[in-house]
Amino acid sequence: MQRKIKIINIASFSVIFISLIVIFVFLKFPSLLNNSFQIKNVIIEGSEKSNISEIENNVTEFKGNLIGLNFNSIKEIVESSEWVKRASIKKVLPSTLKINVTENDPYAIYFQEGKSFLIDLDGSIITEINLNNYEDDLLFVRGENSPELLEQLIRDISITFPNLTQTLEEVEFIEKRRWNLKLNNKLLVKLPDENIQQSLKNLKQLFEEQEVMESNIIEIDLRIQGRAALKVLDGKINYGIDEI
């Protein structure tokens, strides 16, 4: 037992002694520390659409020593790149910096001042696009402040009338206070300023009880709570639709 304790004590002393020597050497000769943990490799994972070369170039100035590296600064720089939503930084001693990125997922096309932008569902602007060269079929979004409020609108629709999301073609935030919805058959739905979920429930009831999508109705105005004002092409509704 005493022999075992003696061996443990010797091992502990050796570790402490060696550690003190290493610390002394690095303090006495700091250039050794810098040279020992120089960043020689940058590994970027999770990137499909991001510009890897751009990210690597942006972090070039941080290609110093892994010890004491400012991860927050690197994270901010990486997340400023197009398509990058979030980034996590990890050091792999002795000389590797690993960057894992989570990219934005295009949900809609936002129109602003004659320009077109891909945006994520949370309203994050991803990148500007040329609409003439873009082929993906995405929701169109218009109106000031509309990107920031888009997620809540889609959430309300998904909760109260989920089938409606399949027919949405365009949404527009009107006068920074309410939404207009345009469906893929060109039907226009005007939502109120407040109680959107209740209005969507009324709209769902209208769709379920009447063949709205197959009718000649071109506009449903729900801005007055509890009422649906209808506009038709030829002045006469093809199907009998009661006020709701």
Side-chain angles (χ1 to χ4, degrees), residues 157-171:
I157 294 174
S158 299
I159 291 172
T160 56
F161 193 0
N163 290 341
L164 188 64
T165 58
Q166 302 172 13
T167 64
L168 276 180
E169 181 177 276
E170 181 177 320
V171 297

Side-chain angles (χ1 to χ4, degrees), residues 173-229:
F173 197 51
I174 306 296
E175 298 177 350
K176 297 191 288 187
R177 59 187 180 85
R178 66 169 196 83
W179 290 97
N180 277 353
L181 314 179
K182 183 179 289 186
L183 309 189
N184 54 22
N185 68 340
K186 306 309 177 184
L187 173 64
L188 178 65
V189 178
K190 296 181 177 181
L191 294 179
D193 298 7
E194 300 177 344
N195 299 324
I196 290 179
Q197 287 196 16
Q198 183 57 53
S199 295
L200 289 168
K201 288 179 182 177
N202 293 342
L203 184 67
K204 180 182 179 182
Q205 178 186 339
L206 186 62
F207 270 63
E208 290 175 347
E209 295 179 355
Q210 308 293 337
E211 299 177 19
V212 173
M213 294 295 284
E214 289 73 36
S215 73
N216 63 337
I217 299 171
I218 59 174
E219 182 180 302
I220 301 176
D221 190 341
L222 300 171
R223 288 178 293 177
I224 299 177
Q225 294 296 330
R227 294 175 61 88

Side-chain angles (χ1 to χ4, degrees), residues 54-92:
E54 178 186 88
I55 295 174
E56 290 177 342
N57 291 335
N58 288 341
V59 301
T60 297
E61 62 180 285
F62 292 95
K63 287 188 178 180
N65 192 290
L66 281 178
I67 306 301
L69 193 66
N70 190 333
F71 281 8
N72 287 333
S73 296
I74 296 180
K75 186 174 184 294
E76 290 177 3
I77 286 179
V78 175
E79 290 178 349
S80 68
S81 299
E82 287 186 347
W83 291 99
V84 177
K85 191 179 189 69
R86 291 184 300 275
S88 61
I89 315 297
K90 181 180 180 181
K91 58 184 177 182
V92 182

